[in-house]
Amino acid sequence: MTYPNPLRFNPAYSVVKQYFVHLDDSVPQKIVVHKDSPRGVHFRRAGPRQKVYFNSDEVHACIVTCGGLCPGLNTVIREIVCGLYHMYGVNKILGIDGGYRGFYSKNTIPLTPKVVNDIHKRGGTIIGTSRGGHDTSKIVDSIQDRGINQVYIIGGDGTQKGAAVIYEEVRRRGLKVAVAGIPKTIDNDIPVIDKSFGFDTAVEEAQRAINAAHVEAESTENGVGVVKLMGRYSGFIAMYATLASRDVDLCLIPESPFYLEGEGGLFEFVEKRLKESGHMVIVIAEGAGQELLAESLQSADQKDASGNKLLRDVGLWISHKIKEHFAKNHKMDITLKYIDPTYMIRAIPSNASDNVYCTLLAQSAVHGAMAGYTGFTSGLVNGRQTYIPFNLKYHITLTICILNVQRITEKQNMVVITDRMWARLLSSTNQPSFLGPKDLAEAKKQEEHPTGLLDGENCKEDHQPELLFIFEKNIVWSKLCWQCYLFIKALLKQKLWKQPYSDHGSLLLVLDNDFLKGRVRTILKEHLVGCGFAVFRDSREKATTT
Ligand SMILES: Nc1ncnc2c1ncn2[C@@H]1O[C@H](COP(=O)(O)OP(=O)(O)O)[C@@H](O)[C@H]1O
Ligand SMILES: O=P(O)(O)OC[C@H]1O[C@](O)(COP(=O)(O)O)[C@@H](O)[C@@H]1O
Ligand SMILES: [Mg+2]
């Protein structure tokens, strides 16, 4: 059952040409393609659909924010509430207090356009957040007991994994509940999307700390300013803050290993730069050099409530090491100032451009949930709003079921140090890469054989793993790219195959007759387009190649 979209009477949109998004519109993940390269992965284009799945009066929505703070959380909350209310006439909206655990351990907060009217001017989240406490069955019990049928989940990589599990449980119980994610993290560590909201604001705020470090450093002889910025596993904030500032001499990120002593090491570079300029600024991401710290402090690995690595203070450590080095060797007198603005860059309201971005993400999520999509994250891909599946694309009406590889929850977005952006940074700061030929080879290898999803550039002959099907007595052999390999792996996880065997990038699948004949075969063919996938149904039969 569907309903005409109430937006057709909305005066704001009456003049918009082709306002409703066509059901088949899609956005490609890769817009730069080689000649003859495959069509690649496409995502559904976000936006209002002509027909909606929910009758507005029956919608009971809830919003939850999880994980660390991020500028723009309140804007997203505001825009979901206002979007539901003004565009679709929905007025039953609850805020879940304090993250996932709030579903089962706290009272809810009623949200209306009046309550959220000016919250976008404040940092933080008015409904609170937390780490840990993801109890799937208690959460879905709460959704079911309260009669909630739209769940908006705002959070980072951990939160989206949690949302995917909730979505699976909702499906398992056969509930007609739309589960929509909105990606949040200042670390920008969520894959697929162009960038996460709040990231620009954080980079901008980081400039104030870098400026202060620069002023302090240049005002004394051999002044060194050290600034620690957030970035647990990904160094995006440090990289962009450095590129934006132009005052930074050295940027250190988790993705790029470095060493202190000896030729080509950090101490040597600091000495060189001080001799050249008389002062220097170092920006270090909090996750950088953690292995060096672990070696020197010999402390055990600790985790937070969500299972994230708890980091040691690398800023303090490196400041101490630099001071110690110069004092010990009587090389030169230095004055070092350490600035740690960590929480200051995320506890602020979002800037203008992030506010706009938050609005688009929230409105897209609302349109998607109203149209009956579920199990998706609203995200910007190549400048277009899209719906990215958590893992399986699944239409709530259960009429459309399109399998897809795990995406948003598959891996973390990281700075690729063999990519152009890091090269731009190195040439802007003129710092050493600290990488020997061995490290570079390793980085390149990582690029080619990642553990996570690759993004379509990978259908090159030279690194295609092999796929081997054993189907009854008939053997199907084919080559395929990593993307498709991972797709198959995702299917394996869903237990759609029997007796999987996987080794060294090759897959050996023993299949049921019915499986290969049926829908899976069609889906496989759809997904393996352009990858040289071949199916032999019978050893005498000609191969059907896509
Ligand atoms: N693999 C997972 N499965 C289910 N829930 C998870 C998973 N990882 C994290 N979560 C939950 O998601 C929430 C936020 O995760 P966290 O890693 O702290 O922040 P973020 O989502 O910003 O990365 C927490 O409540 C945590 O319990
Ligand atoms: O002290 P907290 O709240 O655990 O947060 C610290 C971490 O939060 C972050 O801001 C990222 O948070 P998320 O994982 O929630 O995106 C990191 O940069 C930082 O390491
Ligand atoms: Mg995270």
Side-chain angles (χ1 to χ4, degrees), residues 267-509:
F267 293 147
E268 188 191 84
F269 175 67
V270 172
E271 195 177 326
K272 180 171 159 268
R273 194 49 65 92
L274 287 178
K275 279 185 185 147
E276 282 163 10
S277 332
H279 68 277
M280 78 177 294
V281 175
I282 301 173
V283 164
I284 184 159
E286 60 179 347
Q290 289 290 320
E291 340 68 59
L292 296 179
L293 259 106
E295 263 172 39
S296 92
L297 302 178
Q298 292 184 341
S299 50
D301 265 359
Q302 287 183 310
K303 302 247 161 100
D304 71 10
S306 296
N308 300 304
K309 193 162 69 177
L310 270 180
L311 303 173
R312 299 170 189 94
D313 192 338
V314 71
L316 209 56
W317 174 81
I318 205 157
S319 301
H320 169 74
K321 285 282 174 191
I322 295 172
K323 279 192 212 166
E324 191 186 59
H325 171 81
F326 283 96
K328 207 164 67 189
N329 298 314
H330 305 290
K331 286 206 165 159
M332 50 172 86
D333 287 332
I334 64 160
T335 308
L336 187 146
K337 297 285 188 303
Y338 171 44
I339 300 180
D340 178 359
T342 43
Y343 292 99
M344 290 176 67
I345 67 168
R346 72 173 203 188
I348 50 172
S350 46
N351 67 12
S353 78
D354 270 328
N355 261 337
V356 175
Y357 185 24
C358 291
T359 306
L360 300 189
L361 286 171
Q363 288 195 359
S364 295
V366 167
H367 291 313
M370 284 304 296
Y373 290 111
T374 180
F376 70 88
T377 294
S378 152
L380 199 67
V381 176
N382 296 317
R384 293 289 181 155
Q385 291 290 329
T386 65
Y387 299 135
I388 305 159
F390 294 148
N391 37 28
L392 298 178
K393 274 193 220 165
Y394 202 79
H395 201 276
I396 202 165
T397 57
L398 309 183
T399 53
I400 307 168
C401 170
I402 306 164
L403 288 167
N404 210 331
V405 232
Q406 292 209 325
R407 309 210 155 274
I408 278 289
T409 53
E410 184 84 15
K411 70 159 192 176
Q412 250 157 354
N413 191 28
M414 295 205 184
V415 174
V416 179
I417 58 168
T418 50
D419 228 359
R420 284 190 179 79
M421 209 58 186
W422 186 242
R424 285 176 188 127
L425 179 135
L426 295 181
S427 54
S428 134
T429 56
N430 218 358
Q431 70 186 65
S433 73
F434 300 111
L435 295 176
K438 219 173 119 209
D439 295 317
L440 267 175
E442 189 57 33
K444 284 217 160 98
K445 214 166 89 198
Q446 288 272 328
E447 261 265 83
E448 285 167 7
H449 297 279
T451 47
L453 179 79
L454 275 181
D455 46 10
E457 278 173 347
N458 318 295
C459 298
K460 286 185 226 139
E461 276 298 314
D462 54 353
H463 54 80
Q464 286 174 343
E466 289 173 0
L467 172 76
L468 193 65
F469 274 117
I470 295 195
F471 165 55
E472 290 182 344
K473 287 192 196 106
N474 312 312
I475 294 176
V476 177
W477 177 91
S478 124
K479 283 187 162 187
L480 81 168
C481 72
W482 270 95
Q483 199 166 309
C484 295
Y485 166 66
L486 289 165
F487 166 70
I488 310 263
K489 269 180 73 176
L491 287 185
L492 287 171
K493 269 200 192 154
Q494 307 293 322
K495 299 204 170 34
L496 285 176
W497 309 109
K498 284 187 170 179
Q499 299 177 30
Y501 168 76
S502 151
D503 193 16
H504 305 302
S506 302
L507 274 179
L508 181 67
L509 305 172

Side-chain angles (χ1 to χ4, degrees), residues 66-68 100 130-134 155-159 161-162 165 184 306 308:
C66 311
Y100 278 134
S130 64
R131 297 199 190 272
H134 187 283
D157 56 335
T159 307
K161 282 182 195 141
V165 183
K184 166 250 53 158
S306 296
N308 300 304

